[in-house]
């Protein structure tokens, strides 16, 4: 047996002490989610945004028509996490102010993640985590199905409130992502005449794209119950259908956060239908995929987000997953694409351009 040296023992003690500190994040991590949801529902980031001066506790509680006791405790907790700050008012008392983090929680703010947080904290999305272990033990089980008795798309088709929660969350992600893609790699959309956004939800991606590139004709393609409530917009045609059967014809097929919902065989089927959709456009035809590319040797925060998204896929979809560059190469090759490039632009998602 190896002798335990003094320094090993000390090192072991350090690790144990650190573990005793770190473990509380896992035990009570949900409190962050609960308090942030509370602040969004009360509209606190929106209220603070419109103040010329720091807002005192009594001003905030009277705006919300509530007593200050519970509000104080929620604000104290959130300030401790960097959401909201405190500054002196001109009268010398302390008041709450926005921080870069709380600005991302405004209901209608640019780059807001408020709808995504409301979606992630809904029982629709939380309940499947009670079945994650069942999913791990049985490859054929689906955590979402065990929790709700149907898959997420059947549920959304039957439940307009859930459909809206999901579409709003995705649209908020889209507003941020499409702007990032247009800024980070504008050449991706050079010289295109038409774009079909496959699984385009309420059409947000195409609306932003057409604002910047008004010469592009947009086709927003999604399930019939989704496009039937999508807002009308000049330059965009909403088409209802099933991407597993066929995809409307266009110069480019754009897929943002679609393929991660499906297993390899399902992705290959969708991609074959996209290849068929762009086939009339010869060498200018391409498929643009906006998704995470998990890089095994990337030890940064973005890899962290990619891995979190992969757990989300495990809980919320039947066979979906986030993919590495090798896994993307496999599905694209099997779908008949001869060449593809991957562009990283410092975001959790990358842009993959695939050519027939
Ligand atoms: C994760 S959401 C992504 C929405 C959008 N692309 C975005 O990034 O905001 C997936 C979308 O795929 C759509 N979808 C699911 N199954 C589909 C099918 N068989 N055919 C067409 N669209 C489908 C859903 O309705 C939903 O809008
Ligand atoms: O719960 C989700 C979340 C996402 C998601 C989160 C963050 C992003 O930047 C993109 C997507 O996607 C989901 C999804 O595609 C799905 O089918 C179910 C649930 C979620």
């Amino acid at each position: 047996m190896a002798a335990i040296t003094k320094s090993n023992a000390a090192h072991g003690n350090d690790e144990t002490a650190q573990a005793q500190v770190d473990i509380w994040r896992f035990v009570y991590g949900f409190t962050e989610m609960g308090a942030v949801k509370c602040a969004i529902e009360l509209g606190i980031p929106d209220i603070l945004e419109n103040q010329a001066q720091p807002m005192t506790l009594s001003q905030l509680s009277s705006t919300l028509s509530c007593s200050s006791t519970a509000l104080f405790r929620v604000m104290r907790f959130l300030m401790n996490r960097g959401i909201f700050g405190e500054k002196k008012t001109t009268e010398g008392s302390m008041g709450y102010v926005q921080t870069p983090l709380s600005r991302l929680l405004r209901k209608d703010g640019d780059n807001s993640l408020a709808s995504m947080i409301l979606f992630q904290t809904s029982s629709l999305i939380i309940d499947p985590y009670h079945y994650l272990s069942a999913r791990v033990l049985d490859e054929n089980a689906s955590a979402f199905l065990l929790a709700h008795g149907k898959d997420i798309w059947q549920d959304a088709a039957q439940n307009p409130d859930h459909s809206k929660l999901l579409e709003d969350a995705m649209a908020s992600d889209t507003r941020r992502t499409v702007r990032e893609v247009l800024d980070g790699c504008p050449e991706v959309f050079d010289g295109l005449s038409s774009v079909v956004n496959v699984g385009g939800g309420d059409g947000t991606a195409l609306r932003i794209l057409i604002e910047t590139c008004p010469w592009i004709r947009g086709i927003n393609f999604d399930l019939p119950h989704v496009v039937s409530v999508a807002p009308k917009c000049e330059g965009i045609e909403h088409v209802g259908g099933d991407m597993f059967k066929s995809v409307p014809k266009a110069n480019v097929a754009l897929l943002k956060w679609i393929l991660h919902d499906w297993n390899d065989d399902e992705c290959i089927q969708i991609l074959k239908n996209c290849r068929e959709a762009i086939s009339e456009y010869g060498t200018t035809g391409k498929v643009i995929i906006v998704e995470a590319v998990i890089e095994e040797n990337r030890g940064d925060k973005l890899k962290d987000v990619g891995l979190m998204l992969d757990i989300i896929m495990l809980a919320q979809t039947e066979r979906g997953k986030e993919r590495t560059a090798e896994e993307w190469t496999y599905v694209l090759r099997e779908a008949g694409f001869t060449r593809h490039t991957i562009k990283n632009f410092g975001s959790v998602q990358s842009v993959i351009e695939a050519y027939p």
Side-chain angles (χ1 to χ4, degrees):
M1 198 204 282
I4 301 174
T5 62
K6 220 175 177 180
S7 80
N8 272 347
H11 185 62
N13 283 343
D14 283 355
E15 280 185 346
T16 308
Q18 190 57 48
Q20 278 167 5
V21 173
D22 290 346
I23 194 67
W24 297 113
R25 277 186 37 236
F26 297 94
V27 179
Y28 297 127
F30 67 88
T31 55
E32 292 182 353
M33 203 169 84
V36 169
K37 178 186 172 77
C38 165
I40 295 170
E41 285 177 348
L42 295 175
I44 299 174
D46 309 270
I47 296 171
L48 293 185
E49 185 67 18
N50 298 319
Q51 303 301 313
Q53 274 232 55
M55 200 173 190
T56 62
L57 177 64
S58 75
Q59 286 169 334
L60 187 58
S61 62
S62 75
T63 303
L64 291 171
S65 311
C66 66
S67 103
S68 57
T69 333
L71 184 61
F72 166 77
R73 289 157 63 191
V74 171
M75 294 301 283
R76 176 176 61 183
F77 176 84
L78 289 171
M79 282 197 299
N80 178 265
R81 297 294 192 275
I83 297 176
F84 306 125
E86 237 180 350
K87 270 194 182 149
K88 268 199 178 140
T89 62
T90 43
E91 290 80 35
S93 45
M94 292 309 281
Y96 300 119
V97 291
Q98 293 279 62
T99 62
L101 268 177
S102 63
R103 280 204 183 90
L104 296 175
L105 304 178
R106 285 176 293 159
K107 284 188 180 125
D108 298 315
D110 269 357
N111 298 332
S112 168
L113 282 166
S115 333
M116 184 57 90
I117 291 172
L118 294 179
F119 179 55
Q120 295 300 328
T121 54
S122 67
S123 49
L124 178 74
I125 289 299
I126 295 289
D127 291 354
Y129 289 103
H130 296 299
Y131 299 91
L132 196 53
S133 53
R135 165 72 179 84
V136 172
L137 290 175
D138 177 0
E139 269 291 300
N140 296 314
S142 151
F144 194 95
L145 211 68
L146 287 167
H148 298 296
K150 51 199 143 184
D151 75 28
I152 194 164
W153 312 120
Q154 289 163 339
D155 178 88
Q158 290 163 12
N159 194 328
D161 289 348
H162 290 179
S163 183
K164 174 130 180 53
L165 205 56
L166 185 136
E167 292 305 327
D168 284 353
M170 292 302 152
S172 75
D173 184 73
T174 295
R175 280 190 285 276
R176 183 177 50 82
T177 308
V178 176
R179 286 193 193 107
E180 277 176 2
V181 174
L182 284 166
D183 288 348
C185 18
E187 69 284 359
V188 165
F189 298 102
D190 270 357
L192 305 181
S193 56
S194 54
V195 173
V196 55
N197 190 10
V198 181
D202 67 0
T204 300
L206 284 177
R207 270 198 300 283
I208 297 172
L209 181 60
I210 284 172
E211 271 167 27
T212 312
C213 314
W215 59 89
I216 291 178
R217 183 173 64 84
I219 303 159
N220 185 52
F221 179 63
D222 207 299
L223 293 167
H225 75 270
V226 176
V227 291
S228 67
V229 293
K232 303 219 175 329
C233 176
E234 210 183 309
I236 298 175
E237 182 191 355
H238 292 296
V239 177
D242 180 357
M243 63 193 173
F244 288 102
K245 294 193 175 133
S246 68
V247 168
K249 298 211 174 304
N251 191 176
V252 161
L254 170 67
L255 300 110
K256 175 185 160 290
W257 295 120
I258 299 300
L259 299 174
H260 75 166
D261 287 341
W262 306 100
N263 71 16
D264 287 355
D265 290 343
E266 290 162 331
C267 282
I268 292 164
Q269 185 57 49
I270 299 167
L271 285 166
K272 280 183 175 167
N273 290 344
C274 291
R275 193 161 60 85
E276 176 60 30
I278 59 169
S279 58
E280 285 171 13
Y281 288 82
T283 52
T284 69
K286 64 178 171 180
V287 170
I288 302 174
I289 299 165
V290 182
E291 292 251 4
V293 178
I294 306 252
E295 289 180 49
E296 295 301 351
N297 53 5
R298 191 161 136 183
D300 62 8
K301 285 248 163 66
L302 293 177
K303 179 176 176 189
D304 243 37
V305 183
L307 295 179
M308 287 193 260
L309 277 170
D310 190 47
I311 295 298
I312 293 178
M313 291 303 107
L314 202 57
Q316 310 301 343
T317 68
E318 293 202 22
R319 305 281 154 257
K321 61 174 186 177
E322 301 304 335
R323 292 182 165 80
T324 60
E326 290 69 33
E327 289 170 328
W328 281 115
T329 302
Y330 171 75
V331 289
L332 286 165
R333 274 215 195 113
E334 291 296 307
F337 291 86
T338 57
R339 179 170 78 81
H340 69 272
T341 59
I342 300 182
K343 288 182 173 142
N344 272 318
F345 51 99
S347 181
V348 63
Q349 58 280 87
S350 301
V351 172
I352 306 173
E353 290 172 275
Y355 302 88

